[in-house]
Amino acid sequence: MPTKTYQIGVEATMEVIGGKWKSIILCHLRQKAMRTSELERAIPQISQKMLVQQLRELEAANIVTRHVYQQVPPRVDYSLTDYGHSLSGVLHDLCVWGEENIDRRREQGEAITLLHRDDL
Amino acid sequence: MPTKTYQIGVEATMEVIGGKWKSIILCHLRQKAMRTSELERAIPQISQKMLVQQLRELEAANIVTRHVYQQVPPRVDYSLTDYGHSLSGVLHDLCVWGEENIDRRREQGEAITLLHRDDL
DNA sequence: TGGGATACCCACTAAAAAGTAAGTATGGAT
DNA sequence: ATCCATACTTACTTTTTAGTGGGTATCCCA
């Protein structure tokens, strides 16, 4: 099998948290374990397919775990693994930088809104 | 014009540093100003088109500046703006987390290599 | 006169990511 | 029997992102 090669560490990080949805999902899970329907409500624009697909990829990367409760109707929840928690600081900083970026752009006259701040 | 709305700060951050190339370019520029050809050498897989395109987008977001020297043959270099430097901590953490991720995966038997570490 | 060096730009194509809309399974409640 | 809720799948389409291969401009130098 061919050796996977990275030039620089950030490439590997972006494989894990990059894309449109992963970092958003992780920022939510950073705060608490959440069930599927809860994540759907927290991220209204995401489709069910994308949510599930991204969660599977995060599971495969050992960042989140899936916990199935033996119930009907089904109940499943997702939380960060210990390893996933090692991203917590980065995720928080990404949120904060974005909040500042939005404030800045608004001050410069851009019509822009942020619904939820990451207050921790 | 319609108001741009974000749910959470990280969305705005990812608009700036997301995608396959931007974070890599920024990690390099974090260390020093670099000319086009230097960036091409530092990021061997990138095409000229992508490099220029990403640099233009980073300029538009006020993260990098383009400096043209009046010379023939042309000489241009790029560096982080003051605002771009506000990403420096995040970028460093992204590099470091990725380096650890790669180490971890190698320990678990994956065939994987990292060429350049971010030693600062 | 024509090649070299640098930093582009443009048109076209290919591949990857994301979106849409529908369907499946379970078992309890009505 | 039928319906409900939850958590998925699957097939298909659209959009976005990235890659390829070419071309332009400048001025110096042989």
Side-chain angles (χ1 to χ4, degrees):
Chain A
M1 65 199 91
T3 295
K4 177 131 202 181
T5 299
Y6 298 92
Q7 298 283 326
I8 193 174
V10 70
E11 289 174 56
T13 306
M14 286 318 225
E15 260 179 38
V16 173
I17 66 165
K20 187 164 173 182
W21 300 114
K22 292 210 181 85
S23 59
I24 299 175
I25 293 169
L26 292 174
C27 282
H28 285 291
L29 291 182
R30 193 169 81 82
Q31 322 223 7
K32 66 176 197 297
M34 288 173 87
R35 16 190 338 197
T36 316
S37 51
E38 224 176 335
L39 282 165
E40 282 177 14
R41 261 175 277 118
I43 313 172
Q45 320 92 310
I46 203 174
S47 68
Q48 223 175 20
K49 170 193 147 175
M50 275 297 127
L51 178 59
V52 175
Q53 182 179 306
Q54 303 304 303
L55 285 167
R56 294 288 171 279
E57 292 177 19
L58 291 168
E59 258 191 285
N62 238 290
I63 304 296
V64 310
T65 9
R66 179 170 184 265
H67 180 205
V68 181
Y69 298 82
Q70 279 312 29
Q71 295 185 7
V72 169
R75 179 191 182 92
V76 174
D77 71 24
Y78 296 90
S79 53
L80 294 187
T81 59
D82 285 350
Y83 186 47
H85 281 293
S86 71
L87 276 169
S88 197
V90 178
L91 291 169
H92 180 250
D93 291 348
L94 290 172
C95 277
V96 170
W97 193 88
E99 290 165 10
E100 288 164 5
N101 175 262
I102 290 168
D103 291 344
R104 186 187 153 102
R105 288 159 65 189
R106 193 179 22 249
E107 278 162 22
Q108 287 169 13
E110 198 171 329
I112 190 171
T113 312
L114 172 61
L115 298 184
H116 307 298
R117 279 177 193 264
D118 190 48
D119 303 310
L120 277 195
Chain B
M1 62 200 93
T3 296
K4 176 130 202 182
T5 299
Y6 297 92
Q7 298 281 326
I8 194 175
V10 71
E11 289 175 56
T13 306
M14 287 317 230
E15 262 181 35
V16 172
I17 68 166
K20 185 166 177 180
W21 301 114
K22 293 209 182 88
S23 59
I24 300 175
I25 293 169
L26 292 174
C27 282
H28 286 290
L29 292 182
R30 192 169 82 79
Q31 324 223 7
K32 65 178 198 294
M34 289 172 86
R35 22 192 327 199
T36 316
S37 51
E38 226 176 335
L39 281 166
E40 281 175 16
R41 263 175 277 118
I43 313 172
Q45 321 92 312
I46 203 173
S47 67
Q48 218 175 27
K49 171 193 147 179
M50 275 295 126
L51 178 60
V52 175
Q53 182 179 305
Q54 303 305 305
L55 286 167
R56 293 289 171 279
E57 291 176 21
L58 290 167
E59 258 191 285
N62 239 290
I63 304 295
V64 311
T65 9
R66 179 171 186 265
H67 180 205
V68 183
Y69 298 81
Q70 278 312 33
Q71 295 185 6
V72 168
R75 178 191 182 94
V76 173
D77 70 25
Y78 295 90
S79 52
L80 294 188
T81 59
D82 286 348
Y83 186 47
H85 281 294
S86 70
L87 276 169
S88 197
V90 178
L91 291 168
H92 180 251
D93 291 348
L94 290 172
C95 278
V96 170
W97 192 90
E99 290 166 10
E100 288 165 4
N101 175 262
I102 289 166
D103 292 343
R104 182 187 156 101
R105 288 159 64 188
R106 192 177 23 246
E107 279 162 23
Q108 287 169 12
E110 199 170 331
I112 189 170
T113 311
L114 172 62
L115 299 183
H116 307 299
R117 281 178 191 264
D118 189 49
D119 302 309
L120 277 196

